[in-house]
Amino acid sequence: IDLLGRPNSILGCDYAGTVESVGASAKGDWKVGDRIAGVTHGGIYNHRGSYAEYLTIDGDLAWKIPESVPFTTAAVYGVSAVSAMQALNLVLGLPWPGEKPIEAGRELFIYGGSTSASLFAIQIAKMAGLRVITTCSPHSNDLVKSYGADEVYNYKDKSSLQKIKTAHPDLALAFDGFGGAGSNEFCCNVVANKNGKVVTLDPQAKSAVKGVELETMIMYTVFGRAFQLVPPIGPKFPVKLEDRAGLARFYAMLPKLVEEQKLRAPPIQLRATGFDKIEEGLELLKSGKVSGQKLVLELY
């Protein structure tokens, strides 16, 4: 019980495992023993967080892992992959995989191309028919290009912003895959020539450039439930049924996309096994020692 008298919530969002029980009203073609993966809303509920032996999920908001895909790979198609889908397909309205690609010549700018969300976003954008312009550290150039980026700029180079604007004056769409200090302003300036649109992972961000539309998002709206960050004092978020429908659609098509390697996982670092290793993994992330990889822990 916490200080407010509520049952303790369980942390953790990404997961992969096997189905142990199927409820009578569960949506989807699930049976005990199926290999299952997805994302859940950790940190609020006492039965949904993934840092646990068992968790409860909505049957239509998970995906069935192909036999050729290991659990460690399936586990990373959670927060990062869903955030990329949400930003590009739901907020920016890009064509879904399998739909008619967007007209030739359209471009998308992605800030922080080597983050997990951005590596997924690069691939989703390419499937939609866009050219991708991105930024990252020089040591990640080959990585982001291997995932489909067409042009890569050094975000530490102070001249990169002007180089991008000069080479791509018609850029009108941007995804801030970093959501940190300076990235919002950089993205807004990139699309300023066209009074474009930026979508960011920072739910508190505001447009840094007059005339540029900035839309914020937070991944948790894909579950179709109202929630509050750090209740009872944090901001509240209403139900967004269109986001929930987007997640169901994404996970329905994901097994084929993964099996055909059209949506590849980021590089994976399998760190350790055991619940006692969770804190160690979180400390690695906080220290910034995990770059260009997705850290995965096997609980048991």
Side-chain angles (χ1 to χ4, degrees), residues 243-290:
D243 282 10
R244 189 191 189 284
L247 177 57
R249 181 177 182 179
F250 179 61
Y251 275 165
M253 65 175 61
L254 190 57
K256 184 177 180 181
L257 292 176
V258 174
E259 199 162 31
E260 295 179 352
Q261 297 189 24
K262 292 181 178 179
L263 191 62
R264 294 159 48 213
I268 294 170
Q269 179 185 150
L270 181 58
R271 187 68 189 182
T273 300
F275 282 87
D276 60 327
K277 300 298 183 181
I278 292 175
E279 186 173 356
E280 177 184 310
L282 292 175
E283 287 301 319
L284 280 172
L285 293 174
K286 289 179 183 178
S287 68
K289 294 180 179 179
V290 180

Side-chain angles (χ1 to χ4, degrees), residues 93-292:
L94 298 185
W96 288 81
E99 292 184 337
K100 182 179 178 181
I102 207 163
E103 62 269 21
R106 290 289 299 277
E107 297 178 323
L108 172 72
F109 174 72
I110 296 177
Y111 188 97
S114 63
T115 70
S116 295
S118 292
L119 290 177
F120 282 120
I122 290 170
Q123 297 174 85
I124 291 172
K126 296 301 292 183
M127 284 189 280
L130 279 78
R131 296 189 76 253
V132 175
I133 317 303
T134 190
T135 60
C136 66
S137 296
H139 73 268
S140 296
N141 279 7
D142 290 342
L143 173 68
V144 297
K145 287 182 178 179
S146 72
Y147 278 77
D150 295 286
E151 291 186 29
V152 184
Y153 293 81
N154 181 2
Y155 78 96
K156 295 180 180 179
D157 183 347
K158 294 182 179 180
S159 66
S160 287
L161 174 59
Q162 190 54 52
K163 288 178 180 177
I164 294 170
K165 294 185 65 159
T166 300
H168 307 278
D170 294 326
L171 265 170
L173 298 175
F175 169 53
D176 181 359
F178 180 72
S183 59
N184 168 33
E185 184 176 0
F186 196 105
C187 289
C188 288
N189 276 297
V190 163
V191 300
N193 290 343
K194 292 295 183 179
N195 288 332
K197 183 173 183 176
V198 177
V199 57
T200 176
L201 300 177
D202 180 359
Q204 303 299 311
K206 296 182 180 179
S207 178
V209 177
K210 185 178 181 180
V212 172
E213 179 185 359
L214 184 139
E215 187 162 344
T216 64
M217 52 163 275
I218 185 167
M219 189 277 302
Y220 299 120
T221 57
V222 297
F223 300 109
R225 303 182 187 90
F227 65 93
Q228 184 176 18
L229 290 181
V230 196
I233 60 174
K236 295 181 179 180
F237 296 85
V239 173
K240 296 187 71 173
L241 293 180
E242 63 274 22
D243 282 10
R244 189 191 189 284
L247 177 57
R249 181 177 182 179
F250 179 61
Y251 275 165
M253 65 175 61
L254 190 57
K256 184 177 180 181
L257 292 176
V258 174
E259 199 162 31
E260 295 179 352
Q261 297 189 24
K262 292 181 178 179
L263 191 62
R264 294 159 48 213
I268 294 170
Q269 179 185 150
L270 181 58
R271 187 68 189 182
T273 300
F275 282 87
D276 60 327
K277 300 298 183 181
I278 292 175
E279 186 173 356
E280 177 184 310
L282 292 175
E283 287 301 319
L284 280 172
L285 293 174
K286 289 179 183 178
S287 68
K289 294 180 179 179
V290 180
S291 177

Side-chain angles (χ1 to χ4, degrees), residues 2-7 9 41-45 226-237:
D2 67 15
L3 296 177
L4 297 177
R6 301 168 303 191
S9 58
H41 196 158
I44 288 185
Y45 306 99
F227 65 93
Q228 184 176 18
L229 290 181
V230 196
I233 60 174
K236 295 181 179 180
F237 296 85

